[in-house]
Amino acid sequence: MTVSLTTPLAKLLTNRRRVSALKGLGMVTCADALTYYPFRVTDPVPLRAVREGRIGEPMAFAGVVRDVRVMQMNARRGYRVQAMVDDSAFAAQRHVPGSVTALVFFSYKQQYVNWLSARLHAGASVVVCGTPSEYDGMPQFTHPEVLTVPPIPTASQESARGLRFDADSIDDALRRVCRPRPVYHANSRISSEHIHDSIVTVLRALAAGDDDEAELSTAQSEKTAQSTQSGTYGTTSTTGTSPEPAEPQEAAPSTSPSRASSLSPTPDGIETSTKIPTAALRRAIPDILPESVREACGLMHRAEAFLAIHEPDSVDSFRQALHTLRYEEAFISQTAVLQEREQARKAETFPCTDSGMRETFIDSLPFTLTGGQTSVIDDIVQDMGRDYPMQRLLQGEVGSGKTVVALAAMLQAVGSGYQAVLVAPTQVLAEQHAETIGGMVSKAGLDIPVTLVTGGMKLAARRKALAEAASGEPGIIIATHAAFSRTFQAPNLALAVIDEQHRFGVEQRETLLQRAEKIPHLLVMTATPIPRTAAMTWFGSLDLSWLTELPGGRKPIRTFVIPEADGPTMANMFRHIRRRIDAGERAYIVCARIDEDESDDQAGQDAELFEEPDDSSGLGDGIGGSSSAQPKPPLHAVSEIAARLEALPQFQGVRFATLTGRDDDATKQQVMADFAAGVTPVLVATTVIEVGVDVPQASCIVIFDADRFGLSQLHQLRGRVGRGGTDSWAFLVSRAEPGSIAEQRLAVIQGSLDGAEIAQADLELRGAGDVLGDAQSGGKSGLKLLRVVKDAKMIADARARAEQVLADDPGLDHEVQLAGAVLDFTRGNESHLISS
């Protein structure tokens, strides 16, 4: 078998259980394994004699086994193996007295115990790495990593007798156990140590090449039985392998014994060579970055970077590899968006040059456009007058007037004799847009059809609407996801406006754009704040516009963080809300869950739930840190909070309503109508109100578990109040621990109403994936290491160099590896990153 980056792990690893566990983490091929990066690297382990050891601090030493005992445990089934190790010779080199310590292992497998006691026979020379503890006043090491070395006087004799050792010498073994160790995100099925073993096996197989195929195959066959005998699914082995535990009660190893320079069987039985040859690895793993770029930036070869990040000789080499792979991701992403931008400019479109209807509409408005609105409209008109399609992203604060800008652009298309479509994410929002836009067009005295197309329409009405769109007559179409169905046809579509674009897939968007004979202009809008640095990375193929000014009459929203445990403050908050309700205003109460029996994971499908970051996906500097997170209390649910609030004396006589994503469209419309009319002045809802809810009388919003939401989503939710020009309040109810990152995040939103500033802080505290909609784990993110904020300068440098490479070689004909990586990024990742 020829091993390459596309080789399935199932063909390389013989342990089926491990293959299945790796697949659960997204590792199917060798390439998947190599790009499953560690989230941190441990500090080097210090050398200490036993007498120098400190309880609870890792250390390494060399010694000789004086005695080994196997004891059957009475309290529970299984065995206790205790080896007494004397470090006198090693301690003498450090000028301290020697001593004897115990190495303790527990297992319920007789086969493994026999093998372990044979390996740790009296007189065996070993190197031990572990964390000392104290038992009965004596130091001991429980499940340490142990490497065996040949006794110097009889090394050749022992080898001749067929005994195998983990290292050639004590110095070699000490170097290996003291090196920094990569730490990976693991789960209950596979440990970080076993993930590391598997990745090292992949590196070795790739470096072995075709010439060693027969040798590897033979070694694997010979070692399979030995791996099984040496503690199948047992505790840490002394041969440098870490078999997976087969049952929960089996103790897990504490460190990964497999090292790059070991001479030992891997978990899959392949005997390793002394060191992974870099030259051979470079042949198996071609570089993606152009040679000129790599040399100019002082970066490592891709193969060397993989080796250094998974098998670092030092913390510095780990950091250098991290920098190289981050730059590679920046270069690939920027090359992809630059190519997409250039490709779009080669397409034909409908030039829209007639501004009559647009100017009539603007003159009819009862207010003056803000400077930002005027500037953005001018940019859009200029773009739409060209013979290649516009691709523009419009970001604006909630209530900044994006709808007016979108309508002006659509009237530019309709006035030029074409069709325009606005696609909204929900039927409620689509109907709201149709009503608002129809009213504005009518007040302007324009005779323009406004057609609503939704999946929830009755069949006859939907057929009529689809027929109007298919006629090609100039007009405005407001649609939901129905615009992406095969039945929707708009032959003269000159402009597509995507509202809240992050809720649509790129594939859906492309389906709409490819329907007509020519590619229509594209305007995507979002009220979700995205920092400029993030926009440069994710939306580099689009021209960017920002609306930062709010129309006149909007008052600042006063924001307060309320600790849920502070009963008096909570009571005052509810009394304040009751006074506002008595004044004829409305209040939103937001929860992350629908029912109390709904899991937090299910709730996270609707809300951007936040967990304390553990430096996943390399978002930190990759050094130190911890992969553990404190358990969170259960999230509050709509049903629970509605019942609790209705029972409060502050809300006696006040009617409540609930609204969740499970409600059908008819129910949602009725609930919102009653809320707007004041029939039910308090609405307890999930984040379904985040988009498309516009009730001018709403002045208060309470968000429970605010410390668990993303800042951008909190800002979006907060924008639901104060839309009628009244004083407004946002209360963020929190259970965050004092001094935690969650508390810092809430302080940011309490002190700022600037969406860009908030998004920047959210990006810094949470990472790019969470802000832009990726899963919390980062598992779906195409960029696993790149940090959008911290690496802004790197991204800018990569973009400039990518522009130069594309200028010299537009088709990347001379950069085959880069072209393939860009294609993979575009097909497999960019669609998720831009649209999720």
Side-chain angles (χ1 to χ4, degrees), residues 121 164 220 225 275 326 366 412 460 568 589 675 746 794 803:
H121 61 83
R164 298 182 182 275
Q220 184 172 8
K275 189 175 181 180
R326 276 179 178 150
Q412 180 78 13
I589 311 291
F675 179 64
L746 292 181
M794 178 188 292
E803 286 176 342

Side-chain angles (χ1 to χ4, degrees), residues 677-698:
V679 176
T680 51
V682 179
L683 178 61
V684 185
T686 61
T687 55
V688 69
I689 68 164
E690 178 186 0
V691 174
V693 175
D694 188 1
V695 178
Q697 299 89 346

Side-chain angles (χ1 to χ4, degrees), residues 406-606:
L407 180 53
M410 289 190 286
L411 291 174
Q412 180 78 13
V414 176
S416 300
Y418 304 113
Q419 295 171 294
V421 63
L422 187 152
V423 185
T426 66
Q427 180 166 332
V428 172
L429 185 54
E431 291 172 348
Q432 181 176 310
H433 276 315
E435 183 179 353
T436 302
I437 289 174
M440 297 173 79
V441 167
S442 177
K443 289 179 181 178
L446 299 173
D447 185 16
I448 298 173
V450 177
T451 305
L452 177 65
V453 180
T454 71
M457 299 173 68
K458 292 184 178 180
L459 183 59
R462 189 161 184 260
R463 284 179 175 174
K464 181 180 178 181
L466 290 172
E468 291 176 358
S471 70
E473 292 296 319
I476 294 173
I477 304 165
I478 311 296
T480 57
H481 290 74
F484 306 124
S485 68
R486 294 182 179 179
T487 57
F488 179 81
Q489 299 292 333
N492 290 321
L493 185 63
L495 173 66
V497 180
I498 310 294
D499 192 16
E500 293 302 329
Q501 64 82 35
H502 63 287
R503 294 175 180 264
F504 296 102
V506 167
E507 293 84 358
Q508 292 176 316
R509 199 174 73 190
E510 291 300 319
T511 298
L512 178 63
L513 297 183
Q514 298 294 336
R515 289 285 170 78
E517 295 180 2
K518 297 182 179 180
I519 304 297
H521 300 285
L522 175 67
L523 176 65
V524 293
M525 303 192 301
T526 180
T528 302
I530 303 171
R532 289 178 182 269
T533 50
M536 281 178 55
T537 304
W538 306 114
F539 306 102
S541 61
L542 307 178
D543 294 310
L544 308 175
S545 296
W546 273 266
L547 287 177
T548 56
E549 301 174 66
L550 293 180
R554 290 292 298 269
K555 295 182 179 180
I557 303 170
R558 283 171 277 189
T559 305
F560 299 91
V561 177
I562 310 293
E564 188 173 340
D566 186 349
T569 304
M570 291 282 289
N572 288 335
M573 174 185 72
F574 291 132
R575 279 194 290 269
H576 170 80
I577 294 173
R578 177 57 188 264
R579 288 195 295 268
R580 302 323 307 163
I581 292 172
D582 291 342
E585 297 169 8
R586 315 282 186 270
Y588 296 107
I589 311 291
V590 179
C591 304
R593 290 196 301 173
I594 299 175
D595 300 317
E596 292 184 72
D597 58 354
E598 181 186 23
S599 70
D600 286 3
D601 288 340
Q602 290 172 315
Q605 297 173 7
D606 199 22

Side-chain angles (χ1 to χ4, degrees), residues 3-10 12-13 18-19 22-23 25-38 182 184-185 190 192 194-206 285 302 305-307 309-311 325 784:
V3 180
S4 68
L5 291 175
T6 59
T7 299
L9 294 178
L12 184 63
L13 307 179
R18 177 171 294 191
V19 170
L22 293 172
K23 184 177 180 180
L25 293 175
M27 287 178 272
V28 177
T29 67
C30 290
D32 296 332
L34 295 185
T35 54
Y36 191 84
Y37 300 118
Y184 303 83
H185 282 289
I190 186 169
S192 171
H194 298 136
I195 294 171
H196 176 249
D197 287 339
S198 303
I199 294 174
V200 171
T201 299
V202 169
L203 287 168
R204 292 192 183 286
L206 288 168
I285 305 175
R302 191 173 197 233
F306 279 142
L307 188 58
I309 203 169
H310 294 299
E311 278 289 90
L325 294 170
K784 299 181 179 181

Side-chain angles (χ1 to χ4, degrees), residues 223-527:
K223 289 296 177 182
T224 300
Q226 182 175 345
S227 289
T228 304
Q229 288 182 342
S230 63
T232 307
Y233 313 138
T235 54
T236 306
S237 84
T238 57
T239 62
T241 57
S242 301
E244 288 90 337
E247 299 185 26
Q249 56 263 47
E250 193 70 47
S254 59
T255 54
S256 171
S258 176
R259 310 305 299 158
S261 58
S262 66
L263 182 61
S264 63
T266 69
D268 293 275
I270 302 176
E271 184 178 345
T272 62
S273 59
T274 303
K275 189 175 181 180
I276 297 177
T278 305
L281 199 61
R282 291 175 70 150
R283 289 193 295 271
I285 305 175
D287 215 345
I288 287 178
L289 293 175
E291 187 70 17
S292 58
V293 173
R294 188 169 65 82
E295 290 182 354
C297 298
L299 303 174
M300 303 169 74
H301 188 281
R302 191 173 197 233
E304 295 171 343
F306 279 142
L307 188 58
I309 203 169
H310 294 299
E311 278 289 90
D313 289 320
S314 64
V315 169
D316 287 341
S317 67
F318 180 89
R319 284 177 171 152
Q320 187 180 0
L322 210 55
H323 175 75
T324 295
L325 294 170
R326 276 179 178 150
Y327 193 93
E328 178 187 282
E329 290 185 346
F331 196 88
I332 292 170
S333 67
Q334 293 307 297
T335 303
V337 295
L338 288 171
Q339 276 194 329
E340 181 184 344
R341 184 188 185 97
E342 188 60 32
Q343 190 67 30
R345 293 187 173 182
K346 295 179 181 179
E348 289 187 59
T349 190
F350 300 93
C352 301
T353 56
D354 192 325
S355 300
M357 285 189 177
R358 173 181 59 83
E359 292 174 354
T360 299
F361 161 67
I362 293 175
D363 291 340
S364 72
L365 292 173
F367 53 85
T368 303
L369 296 179
T370 65
Q373 287 174 313
T374 301
S375 177
V376 171
I377 290 173
D378 289 343
D379 290 339
I380 290 173
V381 168
Q382 184 177 0
D383 289 348
M384 293 179 66
R386 299 190 177 109
D387 56 3
Y388 59 84
M390 169 184 72
Q391 287 193 309
R392 184 170 289 277
L393 169 68
L394 173 60
Q395 176 178 312
E397 294 285 352
V398 175
S400 61
K402 296 187 299 297
T403 303
V404 171
V405 172
L407 180 53
M410 289 190 286
L411 291 174
Q412 180 78 13
V414 176
S416 300
Y418 304 113
Q419 295 171 294
V421 63
L422 187 152
V423 185
T426 66
Q427 180 166 332
V428 172
L429 185 54
E431 291 172 348
Q432 181 176 310
H433 276 315
E435 183 179 353
T436 302
I437 289 174
M440 297 173 79
V441 167
S442 177
K443 289 179 181 178
L446 299 173
D447 185 16
I448 298 173
V450 177
T451 305
L452 177 65
V453 180
T454 71
M457 299 173 68
K458 292 184 178 180
L459 183 59
R462 189 161 184 260
R463 284 179 175 174
K464 181 180 178 181
L466 290 172
E468 291 176 358
S471 70
E473 292 296 319
I476 294 173
I477 304 165
I478 311 296
T480 57
H481 290 74
F484 306 124
S485 68
R486 294 182 179 179
T487 57
F488 179 81
Q489 299 292 333
N492 290 321
L493 185 63
L495 173 66
V497 180
I498 310 294
D499 192 16
E500 293 302 329
Q501 64 82 35
H502 63 287
R503 294 175 180 264
F504 296 102
V506 167
E507 293 84 358
Q508 292 176 316
R509 199 174 73 190
E510 291 300 319
T511 298
L512 178 63
L513 297 183
Q514 298 294 336
R515 289 285 170 78
E517 295 180 2
K518 297 182 179 180
I519 304 297
H521 300 285
L522 175 67
L523 176 65
V524 293
M525 303 192 301
T526 180

Side-chain angles (χ1 to χ4, degrees), residues 114-126:
N114 293 341
W115 173 83
L116 181 62
S117 57
R119 291 284 289 170
L120 296 178
H121 61 83
S125 294
V126 295

